[in-house]
Amino acid sequence: MTNGSTQITTTASPILPDEGHVSAAVADVIAERAGHLFGLLGNGNAHLISRLTGRGFPFTSARHESATVAMADAYHRSTRGIAAASTTYGAGFTNAYTTLAEARIARIPLVLVVGDAPSHGLRPFDIDQSKAAAAAGVTTLIARPSNAADIANRAFDLALQTVQPVVLAIPYDLATAPLTDPDSLEPLLPKSVSPPRQQDLARVADTLSGAKRPVVIAGRGVILADAAKSLKEIGERVGALFMTSVMAANAFDSEWDLGIAGGFTRSHRLEVAREADVVLAVGVSLNIFQTRYGTLFPAGTKIIRVDNEPGSEASIPVECVRADIRPFVDGLLERVQPATATWRQEIPEVAGADFRSSSPIEDPAEFGPDGRLNPRAVVAALERILPAERSVVMDGGHFIGWAPMYLSVPDPQAMILVGTAFQAIGLGFGSAAGVSVARPERTTVLVSGDGGGLMGLGDFETFLRATRRGVLVVLNDAAYGAELHQYAAKGLHDQAMLIDEVDFAAIGRAFGAKGTKARTLADLTELERWVSMEEEGVFVLDVAISQRVIAEYMAESTSIRKEDI
């Protein structure tokens, strides 16, 4: 005992040889194939992580396993590079299950390396993790002494080929088992690329050439196929206006871009989009959110969807062309001829500064009906205040309706929404940490609600630790806003929908960040001052927003298609 504290002496366990065992072989493949590992150490992955950190491989630890996959997911979205994450077995695996399901639905190529039950059978505290992963549509590969390196490489190859997460499991009793003579794996068949059908190219080219008011929409598939430049040139030739999905934001970098298609479309841009007579949508699912519950375009609009995704159906009537995106777009570019007169000549204001301004034309008031700040006015002001070279990361919740409408980003890799595919909240801090690691040269701007922020609070510290320079904006309505607008509005009792107001700026200061609570637009000057000083670290802006201002996408969903919520 010394000064009233207890000193605990531990006896170091013998260090196992670093070479020639299963965990070492898997770790070496990770070091070769991935740029970073996100994880949380436990019994099932201790040897793996030690092998990597002991050799200086980049590693970021989470405080909850959910954030390990969220960080890796966001890392991929920011860099397009394959991501790697690791958790232990059992509770470590199940804690990451939500983010694994998100990655599966969002089509994120990552490898999750997990501990697993011993090879001879389940212990009382084990579950069948392979079946659990399969229930989420995720393939599990098992590392053994006879295949460790080869199966680890297979996991990365399969993730890239299928654009899906893959689980690589290391049974507990095999983690340090010596390698044996390798088994031969069946070769992974290469993904075939089919040339586009000439009749499809001819039909789409003729339709575009005959259009009077064409719109071209790009989705994430265009980004993955590296086809944005060619697709933009097609639009330029026919004088089209552009739109994108959230995951392809600013893919065209054009003054004729109407922004994100769907519930995030600004009202004055929506009016123009609804005049389209032909829409070419490439690499985008045209789901209910992207089509604004079927109201994005009028019923008579001719919509052609080009995609290579099997089994994905649009939410509106479309003419579907199944084709690999890059070959089809390049082939279409060869056929489309420049138009002499275009829609752009009739609407030059679309390319003007006023039309493209972030000013909240829809609702310029500073305050909502309840006297709390109008989130539209706040986020529009942030467009001016925040550094232009930024990554915008969003947690899930009602509040996501505003940042994609008013905040611009440099490129598609700078608008990150982890959680929306699985309709999850609480993933923001982990996602933002992954983005900060991936793009440290940019200011990471995390926009969160108070509900999701509280759910993921353990990794607030991870975000601060991983971020060179960042801003956390909490749009704090002291409620679970989505539930409030969907169910309290129908007369359900709201007690469980309300949250006692938390000051996230105060929490941030307790962690060592700077921060302030904003109740007026004038209070944003604290953030503006901090940005101008170009200091490193994180600034936390907690904004007391109105419970009475409803996002456009939420208004559409509750009034038009209640059964889809």
Side-chain angles (χ1 to χ4, degrees):
M1 300 285 288
T2 304
N3 296 327
S5 62
T6 302
Q7 291 185 334
I8 301 175
T9 302
T10 59
T11 302
S13 355
I15 298 176
L16 290 164
D18 210 15
E19 304 294 338
H21 60 69
V22 170
S23 293
V26 172
D28 290 349
V29 172
I30 292 172
E32 180 183 347
R33 302 292 301 269
H36 204 97
L37 179 67
F38 302 93
L40 187 54
L41 185 141
N43 290 348
N45 62 354
H47 296 287
L48 173 93
I49 291 177
S50 175
R51 169 81 168 183
L52 290 165
T53 58
R55 297 184 173 194
F57 186 76
F59 172 77
T60 300
S61 179
R63 299 306 178 213
H64 188 281
E65 284 90 355
S66 179
T68 64
V69 179
M71 285 192 286
D73 181 328
Y75 179 90
H76 164 75
R77 299 190 200 212
S78 296
T79 63
R80 295 172 62 185
I82 193 164
S86 181
T87 75
T88 188
Y89 51 71
F93 170 78
T94 58
N95 278 348
Y97 195 73
T98 293
T99 40
L100 181 63
E102 161 70 19
R104 163 64 181 88
I105 297 169
R107 301 296 303 274
I108 304 298
L110 64 84
V111 175
L112 172 61
V113 185
V114 299
D116 204 350
S119 58
H120 52 72
L122 301 180
R123 298 161 295 186
F125 48 81
D126 286 319
I127 65 168
D128 190 329
Q129 295 179 182
S130 295
K131 285 185 178 178
V138 177
T139 298
T140 298
L141 305 179
I142 309 294
R144 298 185 175 91
S146 61
N147 72 358
D150 288 344
I151 205 69
N153 274 304
R154 171 63 56 88
F156 281 94
D157 292 340
L158 188 62
L160 287 170
Q161 185 181 99
T162 61
V163 197
Q164 295 283 351
V166 174
V167 170
L168 177 60
I170 304 176
Y172 182 67
D173 60 324
L174 301 182
T176 57
L179 300 179
T180 62
D181 291 339
D183 293 333
S184 59
L185 294 180
E186 290 292 328
L188 186 64
L189 296 177
K191 186 176 180 179
S192 61
V193 177
S194 303
R197 299 195 311 167
Q198 294 302 309
Q199 58 266 42
D200 289 338
L201 289 172
R203 186 175 67 258
V204 175
D206 289 346
T207 301
L208 281 176
S209 298
K212 294 182 172 57
R213 299 176 301 281
V215 167
V216 174
I217 303 177
R220 180 185 175 221
V222 172
I223 305 303
L224 295 177
D226 197 22
K229 183 177 180 181
S230 296
L231 187 60
K232 180 181 179 181
E233 178 57 29
I234 291 170
E236 298 288 358
R237 290 186 183 180
V238 298
L241 302 184
F242 298 115
M243 301 183 85
T244 69
S245 70
V246 174
M247 294 184 73
N250 202 26
F252 295 114
D253 190 22
S254 168
E255 61 186 0
W256 297 101
D257 190 349
L258 296 176
I260 297 170
F264 300 145
T265 307
R266 300 279 300 278
S267 61
H268 62 298
R269 297 171 186 170
L270 180 63
E271 292 175 4
V272 175
R274 283 176 170 162
E275 296 179 15
D277 61 346
V278 171
V279 175
L280 175 64
V282 183
V284 60
S285 65
L286 295 180
N287 59 46
I288 57 175
F289 304 108
Q290 292 166 347
T291 63
R292 213 176 174 100
Y293 289 80
T295 68
L296 183 61
F297 299 108
T301 305
K302 173 74 170 179
I303 301 175
I304 303 170
R305 176 176 174 247
V306 179
D307 204 355
N308 60 355
E309 286 296 305
S312 54
E313 297 182 359
S315 63
I316 54 177
V318 299
E319 176 188 325
C320 289
V321 176
R322 178 66 55 79
D324 288 303
I325 290 171
R326 181 61 185 268
F328 188 91
V329 170
D330 287 346
L332 188 61
L333 180 59
E334 294 177 358
R335 288 175 174 265
V336 172
Q337 300 301 314
T340 54
T342 71
W343 188 18
R344 293 180 181 180
Q345 295 165 346
E346 303 172 16
I347 47 173
E349 66 276 6
V350 167
D354 289 342
F355 190 91
R356 299 184 58 76
S357 168
S358 67
S359 298
I361 298 170
E362 299 88 348
D363 185 1
E366 180 174 359
F367 299 103
D370 52 3
R372 294 167 68 92
L373 278 165
N374 179 353
R376 294 188 183 94
V378 172
V379 180
L382 292 175
E383 166 71 5
R384 173 184 58 83
I385 294 171
L386 293 170
E389 192 63 21
R390 61 192 178 223
S391 299
V392 176
V393 187
M394 278 162 282
D395 197 353
H398 171 245
F399 69 90
I400 67 171
W402 296 296
M405 294 179 74
Y406 299 105
L407 293 183
S408 59
V409 292
D411 55 51
Q413 284 75 47
M415 182 72 78
I416 312 294
L417 288 84
V418 178
T420 53
F422 196 41
Q423 301 292 287
I425 71 171
L427 310 184
F429 286 122
S431 302
V435 171
S436 293
V437 168
R439 302 302 300 266
E441 77 282 6
R442 289 180 171 173
T443 298
T444 302
V445 179
L446 169 58
V447 185
S448 177
D450 49 323
L454 289 171
M455 185 180 291
L457 197 57
D459 280 291
F460 194 167
E461 182 271 341
T462 305
F463 171 54
L464 297 177
R465 174 167 33 92
T467 302
R468 182 188 67 83
R469 180 171 168 82
V471 177
L472 166 62
V473 179
V474 182
L475 296 179
N476 191 338
D477 60 357
Y480 294 105
E483 286 69 28
L484 200 67
H485 293 299
Q486 291 179 80
Y487 300 111
K490 298 176 183 177
L492 274 67
H493 194 264
D494 65 4
Q495 177 180 327
M497 306 172 195
L498 302 176
I499 300 171
D500 291 341
E501 188 158 350
V502 173
D503 186 345
F504 283 83
I507 297 174
R509 291 194 296 270
F511 276 126
K514 303 289 179 65
T516 191
K517 180 84 175 185
R519 298 190 182 278
T520 69
L521 290 180
D523 293 335
L524 301 185
T525 56
E526 290 295 319
L527 171 61
E528 193 166 10
R529 186 179 301 113
W530 181 84
V531 169
S532 69
M533 294 173 67
E534 299 185 350
E535 295 181 353
E536 294 193 352
V538 172
F539 189 97
V540 182
L541 180 71
D542 185 308
V543 187
I545 65 165
S546 174
Q547 293 181 352
R548 303 278 299 280
V549 177
I550 183 169
E552 280 81 353
Y553 83 90
M554 182 64 69
E556 293 280 355
S557 70
T558 55
S559 64
I560 297 175
R561 296 283 297 277
K562 294 184 178 66
E563 67 274 16
D564 289 318
I565 299 303

